[in-house]
């Protein structure tokens, strides 16, 4: 005799239950904007109750922040893994290229969530905006660490401009249907612009 849904639910540890809710929420927000996703639908997809969702996430905005944080956390992890796979002995250009490619892989996998967040579709709550800013800072820190130290403000603005440009190019790529043959063009433009702003990769 198999256990019913209630039996399976009770056997999950709190961390597992929370992770399941976040995964269901992330999948929902990948497809729809914040205002079009219902907490009840997330609960159903997670195999739990709406009340339990609210136990872990007091509001829909908190649930959204958890989902966005999970997605962008995975992006940050993927970028760092791409750098580690090349090794720090690789050229700065190749390392930055690996970060851009990891970013595009993420955009290709979650196009609606990525473009919608940048475009402000569905009135993204402040918590989501704050998490995106934290993820942006993580990217900046990673990129800065790939270059030789340079305290000049020009370095900061070059990297900040690069991150903003890659976001903008990614948004246009999504709007154009994410044609695979245009991925290399995005990388070429992004690296060329950054090299022009830096003047020298520094290593």
């Amino acid at each position: 005799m198999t256990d019913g849904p209630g039996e399976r639910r009770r056997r999950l540890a709190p961390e597992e239950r929370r992770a399941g809710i976040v995964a269901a929420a992330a999948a929902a927000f990948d497809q729809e904007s914040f205002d079009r996703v219902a907490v009840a639908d997330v609960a159903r997809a997670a195999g739990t109750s709406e009340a339990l969702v609210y136990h872990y996430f007091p509001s829909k905005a908190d649930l959204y922040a958890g989902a966005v944080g999970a997605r962008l956390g995975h992006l940050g992890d993927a970028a760092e893994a791409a750098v580690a796979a090349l090794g720090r002995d690789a050229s700065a250009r190749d390392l930055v290229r690996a970060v851009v490619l990891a970013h595009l892989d993420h955009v290709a996998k979650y196009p609606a969530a990525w473009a919608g967040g940048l475009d402000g579709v569905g009135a993204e709550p402040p918590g989501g905006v704050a998490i995106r800013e934290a993820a942006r800072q993580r990217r900046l820190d990673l990129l800065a660490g790939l270059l030789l130290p340079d305290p000049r403000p020009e370095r900061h603005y070059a990297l900040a401009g690069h991150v903003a440009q890659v976001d903008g190019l990614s948004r246009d790529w999504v709007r154009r249907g994410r044609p695979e043959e245009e991925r290399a063009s995005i990388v070429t433009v992004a690296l060329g612009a950054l090299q022009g702003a830096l003047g020298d990769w520094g290593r």
Side-chain angles (χ1 to χ4, degrees):
M1 179 176 177
T2 59
D3 294 332
E7 290 295 323
R8 290 195 297 270
R9 183 180 305 155
R10 283 194 293 272
R11 289 182 181 178
L12 287 177
E15 297 80 7
E16 293 176 299
R17 175 56 62 193
R18 186 183 188 282
I21 292 170
V22 169
F29 290 120
D30 285 343
Q31 302 300 321
E32 299 286 355
S33 60
F34 173 76
D35 57 350
R36 297 189 64 177
V37 171
V39 174
D41 292 336
V42 172
R44 189 176 306 110
T48 190
S49 67
E50 191 171 353
L52 192 57
V53 172
Y54 281 116
H55 170 75
Y56 290 105
F57 302 95
S59 69
K60 180 180 170 182
D62 292 321
L63 178 62
Y64 177 82
V68 171
R71 282 284 184 258
L72 294 181
H74 291 158
L75 169 58
D77 292 345
E80 291 171 2
V83 168
L86 281 181
R88 293 288 179 153
D89 290 336
S91 69
R93 186 183 188 280
D94 285 346
L95 292 169
V96 173
R97 179 177 181 274
V99 173
V100 175
L101 287 173
H103 176 88
L104 292 176
D105 286 343
H106 177 86
V107 172
K109 191 172 183 179
Y110 308 113
W114 178 258
L118 291 180
D119 289 338
V121 176
E124 185 173 47
V129 175
I131 287 173
R132 289 185 191 279
E133 177 55 30
R136 171 185 171 276
Q137 188 59 54
R138 182 179 179 183
R139 287 165 67 192
L140 282 172
D141 291 343
L142 175 62
L143 291 167
L146 303 180
L147 307 174
L148 292 176
D150 186 341
R152 295 177 301 164
E154 289 85 353
R155 165 65 63 81
H156 168 79
Y157 289 117
L159 293 179
H162 168 76
V163 168
Q165 182 189 40
V166 171
D167 283 348
L169 293 172
S170 299
R171 184 166 41 199
D172 284 346
W173 188 47
V174 169
R175 290 170 176 167
R176 291 167 63 86
R178 311 188 315 285
E180 185 59 32
E181 65 273 14
E182 294 183 5
R183 185 189 293 247
S185 298
I186 295 173
V187 175
T188 298
V189 169
L191 293 182
L194 180 56
Q195 183 171 350
L198 292 172
D200 186 338
W201 287 103
R203 50 168 288 188

